[in-house]
Amino acid sequence: MLDMRRMQILRAVVTSGSVTAAARNLGYTPSAISQQMAALEKEAGITLLDRTGRGVRPTDAGRLLTEYATVIGRHAAEAETALAELRAGRTGRVSMRYFTTAGAPLVVPAIAALRREQPGVQVELRLFEQDDPVLEVRARRADLALVVREPDGAAVDGIRFVHLLADRYRAVLPPGHRLAARPVLELSDLAEEPWIAGETPGPCLDPVLDACAAAGFTPDFVVESGDYATAQGFVAAGLGVSLVPELGLTAGHRPDVVVREVRNPEPVRVIQAAVRAGAASAQPALRGLVEALRAAAAGAGTAVDASPSPEGPA
């Protein structure tokens, strides 16, 4: 195997025309350069330089290796530049898993900001529905996953959870409902109402069930819709009431329903980013994506469009 460093010294000797000049340019002694050239000729098994007075001239083999050394040097410089870009987070590839209601209010602005600030970073986005995305991160099939979990949820080996947003649930009522005139509802006010489920059993429904249990009742679900847009449609048709998180309303708030705050207690789902422990420091592009998600979450706030009056849609 040819020594790449010695090939670059050969290139310096050939381009400068002498061992002495190459030694001066490289900061070595002439004897050190001569020793390196002797070692390279031994590796190559052929003479590389012919002595011509005080200078040297490359043989055909020397000229050939010099050409390759030039190419190698250029590629090495390009590699160093690319590596510097990667270390700075300006390039790289990140794989992300997200859920539907986080798409428009969180993922879209985060990716847009990342593209503006770090256009060389490529993000692979995949929607997940049923599979546990944390397992995807642990198995290195994804670098980051947006998840809903308890703030003090059980630790997962090798996974770090980054808090993004406390997503509060709001009561969604049909226009003209008896409670629609109140700006804030007690959760127990909804105890005797028929309920529309906007999600299937799991981490997004658990905060609703836990809050209702704390308020002293179990909701009577008459419809399971599976998504918040459909749940609002059932509510607008007068089939029941529902609790929808603010991100679900931001992603698609129907104008023909009434949205009110609830308290005592107020259900909240906590959205976090799951990443492998230490991955953000090893992947600057991933660190940039996490920061972009944090900024998007801060911007998401609690902004929900004003609801129509109790008499009907505006």
Side-chain angles (χ1 to χ4, degrees):
M1 176 68 71
L2 295 174
D3 187 292
M4 299 298 105
R5 184 173 60 88
R6 289 172 180 154
M7 288 180 62
Q8 296 305 316
I9 295 175
L10 170 65
R11 177 188 173 197
V13 171
V14 172
T15 54
S16 65
S18 73
V19 169
T20 302
R24 184 172 56 251
N25 294 337
L26 296 176
Y28 295 151
T29 63
S31 61
I33 296 294
S34 296
Q35 289 172 8
Q36 293 298 318
M37 291 302 89
L40 183 60
E41 287 186 333
K42 185 176 180 180
E43 291 173 349
I46 190 171
T47 301
L48 301 176
L49 297 170
D50 286 332
R51 308 277 179 199
T52 58
R54 294 184 179 182
V56 293
R57 184 174 59 191
T59 64
D60 288 344
R63 190 175 299 105
L64 177 68
L65 284 191
T66 299
E67 292 172 355
Y68 276 106
T70 301
V71 173
I72 291 170
R74 183 171 63 249
H75 285 316
E78 291 173 355
E80 289 180 354
T81 300
L83 190 59
E85 292 289 296
L86 188 65
R87 283 198 304 266
R90 291 188 289 268
T91 61
R93 182 185 298 271
V94 183
S95 176
M96 177 179 173
R97 304 291 183 266
Y98 71 101
F99 55 92
T100 303
T101 52
L106 284 185
V107 178
V108 170
I111 298 302
L114 189 68
R115 181 169 293 178
R116 287 193 302 270
E117 297 171 9
Q118 297 162 269
V121 174
Q122 299 179 19
V123 182
E124 175 201 85
L125 295 172
R126 288 189 182 179
L127 186 70
F128 72 86
E129 295 294 344
Q130 300 296 331
D131 297 336
D132 184 355
V134 176
L135 297 180
E136 293 279 291
V137 176
R138 285 189 64 186
R140 297 180 179 271
R141 290 189 292 268
D143 298 303
L144 181 150
L146 296 184
V147 295
V148 174
R149 70 192 305 266
E150 294 293 329
D152 54 352
V156 179
D157 287 344
I159 298 296
R160 173 180 170 235
F161 292 95
V162 180
H163 176 83
L164 295 178
L165 183 68
D167 194 15
R168 295 170 174 80
Y169 283 76
R170 297 292 182 243
V172 181
L173 311 173
H177 190 277
R178 62 182 180 84
L179 298 173
R182 301 184 189 178
V184 181
L185 305 180
E186 300 290 318
L187 186 57
S188 58
D189 292 337
L190 304 175
E192 302 303 321
E193 298 289 331
W195 280 58
I196 311 297
E199 57 277 297
T200 56
C204 291
L205 185 59
D206 289 345
V208 173
L209 297 178
D210 292 343
C212 290
F217 72 97
T218 300
D220 177 22
F221 290 109
V222 296
V223 176
E224 282 192 7
S225 67
D227 67 81
Y228 299 122
T230 304
Q232 291 181 67
F234 282 121
V235 171
L239 299 183
V241 301
S242 187
L243 290 186
V244 175
E246 288 180 330
L247 286 190
L249 294 169
T250 301
H253 178 192
R254 290 179 60 114
D256 52 357
V257 296
V258 176
V259 177
R260 295 291 180 259
E261 295 183 21
V262 291
R263 64 186 180 189
N264 296 327
E266 179 186 55
V268 176
R269 67 175 186 175
V270 176
I271 298 175
Q272 299 180 332
V275 298
R276 288 185 300 279
S281 59
Q283 295 177 259
L286 175 59
R287 184 168 62 249
L289 177 58
V290 171
E291 292 306 314
L293 286 167
R294 278 177 163 168
T302 58
V304 177
D305 292 341
S307 299
S309 66
E311 288 73 29

